[in-house]
Amino acid sequence: DSGVTQTPKHLITATGQRVTLRCSPRSGDLSVYWYQQSLDQGLQFLIQYYNGEERAKGNILERFSAQQFPDLHSELNLSSLELGDSALYFCASSVASLADTQYFGPGTRLTVL
Amino acid sequence: EDQVTQSPEALRLQEGESSSLNCSYTVSGLRGLFWYRQDPGKGPEFLFTLYSAGEEKEKERLKATLTKKESFLHITAPKPEDSATYLCAVQMGAQKLVFGQGTRLTINP
């Protein structure tokens, strides 16, 4: 158990809908990262927050957004969902930022029908 | 473009048969190289962090080494429970991790 929690574990929804994925980092960690893992793309970095502020952006679509709240939990919002958005979404956390080990949560499996 | 390549894509070994997994990278300003283990449908589990060429880390049957252009994950006398996908990731100037595609390791009893 890494100490990172994610909810829900599974999510099934329809195209065009909007969903919110939630992540609670390990106690004491200030950075939260979101990754997408699909069969053909592997693990792709989406976005990072550090102590409430966006710190780095990766291959995140405009339909996706995220935020980190004062209690350091984070939410990833996915809107106008498409079939291709079906994937595993992982949250990771680290103490600070540069070169810190990132610990991953169990993931949320999103299925878009 | 920064790139991480893992080989082989898949490896099947007999229990007790030692081998090595490779992770080569073409990045500028490497800040750290990370090895993770991932079981199907689960989150990546942290194994090792390496920061500089020549560094080695060990944990049970696993040993990770780092050179200027690649890292090896050596597995000694593996057991069936070592079967998993092993992921290598590098962190450069930015905070994000760039992952390789992984090596799917199967240990047959």
Side-chain angles (χ1 to χ4, degrees):
Chain A
D1 185 356
S2 68
V4 179
T5 60
Q6 289 186 249
T7 57
K9 287 186 179 178
H10 302 278
L11 204 46
I12 301 175
T13 189
T15 55
Q17 296 298 305
R18 171 190 168 95
V19 297
T20 297
L21 313 183
R22 181 188 169 105
C23 167
S24 293
R26 296 186 318 155
S27 176
D29 285 359
L30 298 178
S31 272
V32 170
Y33 310 78
W34 286 97
Y35 291 84
Q36 179 191 58
Q37 187 175 42
S38 57
L39 283 174
D40 56 342
Q41 292 288 328
L43 262 169
Q44 299 286 318
F45 169 74
L46 295 178
I47 197 165
Q48 179 208 359
Y49 278 82
Y50 174 76
N51 204 20
E53 294 187 2
E54 182 184 305
R55 183 60 65 92
K57 237 177 183 177
N59 304 320
I60 188 166
L61 300 172
E62 285 192 12
R63 301 183 285 109
F64 296 0
S65 65
Q67 53 184 326
Q68 186 179 26
F69 295 87
D71 66 353
L72 300 177
H73 91 271
S74 178
E75 292 181 357
L76 178 67
N77 300 296
L78 314 176
S79 61
S80 302
L81 285 168
E82 302 175 359
L83 295 177
D85 297 327
S86 296
L88 272 166
Y89 291 84
F90 290 106
C91 165
S93 74
S94 67
V95 173
S97 194
L98 288 175
D100 274 345
T101 297
Q102 295 179 24
Y103 294 89
F104 283 76
T108 293
R109 181 176 292 280
L110 173 66
T111 302
V112 183
L113 300 175
Chain B
E1 183 185 328
D2 298 323
Q3 204 164 7
V4 180
T5 304
Q6 290 189 245
S7 61
E9 286 186 16
L11 181 62
R12 191 178 292 271
L13 301 172
Q14 289 298 122
E15 184 173 359
E17 181 184 1
S18 302
S19 188
S20 296
L21 314 182
N22 178 262
C23 170
S24 63
Y25 56 92
T26 54
V27 300
S28 54
L30 178 74
R31 292 192 177 271
L33 185 141
F34 304 81
W35 282 98
Y36 289 86
R37 168 198 169 122
Q38 187 176 27
D39 293 303
K42 303 288 179 69
E45 175 190 341
F46 170 71
L47 294 174
F48 303 108
T49 306
L50 301 167
Y51 292 107
S52 56
E55 192 173 357
E56 298 182 353
K57 295 259 179 88
E58 277 189 76
K59 178 181 177 181
E60 295 181 356
R61 295 177 293 282
L62 298 175
K63 178 180 175 181
T65 62
L66 181 65
T67 71
K68 287 187 177 179
K69 290 296 179 187
E70 60 189 349
S71 176
F72 290 93
L73 184 65
H74 307 278
I75 181 161
T76 303
K79 300 182 178 181
E81 53 263 40
D82 295 321
S83 297
T85 295
Y86 290 85
L87 299 168
C88 164
V90 299
Q91 188 172 38
M92 295 80 70
Q95 292 81 359
K96 68 174 184 178
L97 290 180
V98 176
F99 280 85
Q101 290 295 99
T103 293
R104 192 169 60 255
L105 178 65
T106 304
I107 309 298
N108 295 316

